[in-house]
Amino acid sequence: MSPFPRPSLHLPTRSLTNRLFSTSRALPIARITIVGRLAADPELTVTSTGQEMVRYAVGTSYGPRENRQTSWWRVASFAKENEGRERILGLGKGTLVYLEGDASMRKFEKDGKVESALSIVQQKLEVLKRPDSSADSLE
């Protein structure tokens, strides 16, 4: 007989609602990653609760050059002043960005029809390339 206890071969049973890989509760949020160009300069707005947020749109293109398709993504950022909000507001139209955010679908009624929209809340934003400023000087 060994002086060391043998490991138990019986695993504790867990209910199906418990998650084996995490102790936090499950959230109904999907993560989205986008690489695209800003459609316009970001703007600072205030929500109905008084919270400031930066809103902007990112365009992504795909397909061959002669039949290119573009998708537009509306994004909200709740970054505080000391967390880079001014850096986001300083970006101009055409800036190539890498964006990670939380995506969620929302439904609303418009003209008697139920429509849906994808809402993206920015978690990370990296500037990949600023627009060519020499093109502005030629105009």
Side-chain angles (χ1 to χ4, degrees):
M1 183 180 241
S2 171
F4 300 107
R6 287 177 48 173
S8 172
L9 297 177
H10 296 86
L11 296 175
T13 58
R14 296 179 186 241
S15 71
L16 293 176
T17 58
N18 288 346
R19 297 176 7 176
L20 298 174
F21 57 89
S22 177
T23 57
S24 63
R25 65 182 181 87
L27 296 175
I29 291 184
R31 181 63 60 129
I32 189 167
T33 302
I34 298 171
V35 175
R37 296 195 179 273
L38 294 183
D41 295 344
E43 58 185 39
L44 183 65
T45 60
V46 179
T47 65
S48 60
T49 60
Q51 187 175 11
E52 292 183 333
M53 72 175 180
V54 177
R55 292 191 138 194
Y56 57 94
V58 176
T60 57
S61 298
Y62 59 93
R65 194 172 282 254
E66 61 275 355
N67 193 19
R68 183 144 299 166
Q69 301 284 326
T70 302
S71 297
W72 299 100
W73 308 88
R74 287 178 283 177
V75 183
S77 171
F78 293 94
K80 306 281 187 234
E81 276 186 77
N82 57 354
E83 294 176 357
R85 183 171 66 191
E86 295 303 319
R87 181 178 67 91
I88 297 169
L89 289 170
L91 299 176
K93 177 181 177 178
T95 302
L96 184 65
V97 295
Y98 169 88
L99 167 73
E100 286 182 13
D102 296 327
S104 61
M105 291 294 292
R106 60 183 174 87
K107 293 185 178 186
F108 57 95
E109 191 170 325
K110 181 178 180 183
D111 300 330
K113 291 173 54 178
V114 175
E115 296 191 15
S116 60
L118 181 68
S119 299
I120 301 173
V121 177
Q122 171 199 313
Q123 296 300 320
K124 180 180 181 180
L125 181 73
E126 298 289 332
V127 176
L128 300 178
K129 185 178 179 184
R130 296 195 183 264
D132 190 12
S133 59
S134 63
D136 294 337
S137 62
L138 294 176
E139 293 180 36

